[in-house]
Amino acid sequence: MGMLTSATLVAQDSYYKADPQFHPAPEASAARYQIIRFGPVGIGLELRQPAFTMYVTGVEEGSPAAACGQFKKGQIIESVNGVTLKDIDPRIILGNMITEAEAKDGIMKMMVKDDVKTAAREVVVKIPALGAYSDTWPLNCPKSDKIVRNFADFLSKEESVDLGIQGSMLFMLSTGEEKDLEVVRGWIKKLVAKNKNVEEINTYPWFAGYSGPALCEYYLRTGDKSILPVIKKIADCLTRTIYNGSWAGRGAAPYQYMAGGHMNAAGVHCVTFLMLAKECGVDVDEHTLQSSLKYFYRFSGRGNVAYGDGVPEGGYTDNGRTTGLALAMAAAASLSPDGENSVYAKARDISATKGFYATSWLFHGHTGGGIGELWRGQSMGLVKDKRPSQY
């Protein structure tokens, strides 16, 4: 859905009074739209006609909503703290409701009806009061610190040892807390044991590119050599599956897909992993590293990283690929003898800045909600001092 379609939607629909910020925006004419989790309140919502009427779809066990004992499936919520859903994307309004309640006393007063015929009554739910975000959030922000701590405590209960957990691992390494590092040590021990007698690791580039860097960051943080054989096996997997300088989303060479099969939203992070692996001292196949580095470097300063095996793309949608390139170029600059004076450092800054301006709508692209936002935030951290206002 492009901006032209968005403008048409605004003109034809009486609910929206401004262009929706999200892609896709809930259509006010739709019969139903799911909000699976209304944040820490602990209820699910379904938005129905007339747009957008809130119906309760379920109550989470142990949640603040369950604690008040007055919610059940099928009820209608007319307002929250006197606010109704109107004019703008309902998800923005619902998010603001939570943010405002957390900044005060956590009290959320909801006008609730059992059905369309009954009168509404007030139901009070108290969510944790985390305080307000600081002007410099997430830096120097007690509320952000609480959110990070709560999430780390939640992740510490994770028992899985497959490669999919490494996104959690990278987060735990980022807190700087010793107790979180100990959790990661436990995960690494299980992962090493699981793959100790495995001759080859065969995985998708999505997992190698998104998860592999966490294993490298763990080694660089701790010097624990037990993880190096796993890193080596993942790097060898990428050597087996590379073609034309990049990777398909699930390996092999599906030439009928995107006129060549590459899925660079995954592949750009694979070259980042290979460079981090080399920094760890792992023997990385030089042809694989150099051909993929050349493939991705050529996009810098020439538009957005292509979706597949093609030329750079124009427009304002990078879907995380261009901002991912900024991180790859950061890794290349750290390996280059020229460091901050290298072409890779310049490519890093250009790609980060391009990615910042790239996506005009939030959650754009079919590869998943937030994939552009995920990498844009990290890449802008690379140019914090050079682009302070954008950061």
Side-chain angles (χ1 to χ4, degrees):
M1 183 185 294
M3 289 306 293
L4 179 61
T5 308
S6 167
T8 303
L9 179 141
V10 172
Q12 294 178 347
D13 199 300
S14 60
Y15 174 84
Y16 287 102
K17 298 298 186 291
D19 284 317
Q21 294 181 353
F22 286 84
H23 173 85
E27 293 186 16
S29 60
R32 300 169 186 269
Y33 184 86
Q34 295 283 345
I35 303 288
I36 296 175
R37 188 172 193 269
F38 182 25
V41 177
I43 58 175
L45 296 176
E46 188 172 76
L47 308 183
R48 304 181 191 171
Q49 293 298 322
F52 284 105
T53 303
M54 295 180 280
Y55 282 78
V56 177
T57 59
V59 183
E60 294 179 15
E61 183 178 347
S63 68
C68 79
Q70 298 187 61
F71 282 102
K72 61 182 179 181
K73 185 177 180 179
Q75 289 175 320
I76 300 171
I77 300 176
E78 289 189 339
S79 64
V80 180
N81 289 344
V83 178
T84 59
L85 303 185
K86 63 178 182 178
D87 299 343
I88 65 174
D89 193 307
R91 295 169 295 186
I92 295 176
I93 301 172
L94 291 168
N96 288 342
M97 290 174 178
I98 293 170
T99 300
E100 291 167 7
E102 288 178 338
K104 299 175 183 177
D105 53 12
I107 297 295
M108 303 189 78
K109 298 179 179 179
M110 306 187 188
M111 297 305 296
V112 180
K113 299 169 62 173
D114 289 331
D115 53 57
V116 294
K117 297 180 180 179
T118 59
R121 67 183 188 281
E122 184 179 87
V123 175
V124 178
V125 177
K126 190 177 190 308
I127 64 175
L130 300 179
Y133 290 107
S134 72
D135 292 338
T136 58
W137 75 276
L139 303 178
N140 302 317
C141 177
K143 178 174 182 176
S144 297
D145 293 341
K146 290 176 184 177
I147 292 172
V148 169
R149 185 67 261 148
N150 289 344
F151 190 45
D153 290 342
F154 172 79
L155 291 178
S156 68
K157 300 178 177 62
E158 176 63 64
E159 295 292 337
S160 175
V161 294
D162 60 24
L163 288 179
I165 197 178
Q166 309 325 320
S168 302
M169 183 180 295
L170 202 57
F171 180 87
M172 296 293 272
L173 289 171
S174 75
T175 70
E177 297 285 344
E178 185 63 29
K179 66 177 181 179
D180 297 331
L181 180 58
E182 284 305 306
V183 172
V184 175
R185 289 184 191 275
W187 291 340
I188 289 291
K189 186 176 181 179
K190 293 178 182 178
L191 189 67
V192 169
K194 181 179 180 180
N195 291 281
K196 186 174 183 179
N197 298 316
V198 175
E199 185 175 345
E200 292 183 349
I201 292 179
N202 294 302
T203 186
Y204 293 154
W206 281 110
F207 290 106
Y210 274 59
S211 302
L215 304 180
C216 298
E217 294 287 3
Y218 169 77
Y219 172 77
L220 295 172
R221 170 88 171 269
T222 65
D224 182 357
K225 294 183 179 180
S226 68
I227 194 59
L228 294 180
V230 176
I231 295 174
K232 169 63 174 171
K233 290 174 184 177
I234 297 174
D236 289 346
C237 173
L238 292 178
T239 296
R240 292 192 300 272
T241 56
I242 192 173
Y243 68 98
N244 290 350
S246 188
W247 293 267
R250 291 167 177 80
Y255 286 104
Q256 293 181 340
Y257 179 75
M258 291 299 296
H262 287 172
M263 184 176 281
N264 292 326
V268 69
H269 303 293
C270 291
V271 68
T272 302
F273 163 69
L274 290 173
M275 287 185 285
L276 287 173
K278 187 177 181 68
E279 190 170 349
C280 292
V282 170
D283 181 20
V284 175
D285 179 71
E286 195 66 16
H287 175 74
T288 302
L289 175 60
Q290 294 298 336
S291 60
S292 60
L293 178 58
K294 179 180 179 180
Y295 174 93
F296 281 105
Y297 170 78
R298 68 195 175 108
F299 290 113
S300 297
R302 296 178 174 86
N304 294 317
V305 174
Y307 188 105
D309 187 10
V311 298
E313 297 174 359
Y316 291 93
T317 303
D318 87 313
N319 205 17
R321 303 186 302 271
T322 304
T323 44
L325 178 62
L327 298 169
M329 294 296 99
S334 71
L335 285 175
S336 171
D338 294 331
E340 285 300 301
N341 294 320
S342 67
V343 292
Y344 302 117
K346 296 175 183 177
R348 174 198 65 202
D349 297 346
I350 290 172
S351 298
T353 304
K354 176 66 171 70
F356 171 76
Y357 289 108
T359 306
S360 55
W361 281 15
L362 297 173
F363 294 167
H364 191 106
H366 81 273
T367 42
I371 197 170
E373 286 71 23
L374 173 69
W375 299 113
R376 185 190 298 112
Q378 293 194 41
S379 67
M380 285 308 294
L382 299 172
V383 290
K384 174 177 176 289
D385 297 327
K386 297 178 181 178
R387 303 280 188 271
S389 60
Q390 290 90 339
Y391 174 79

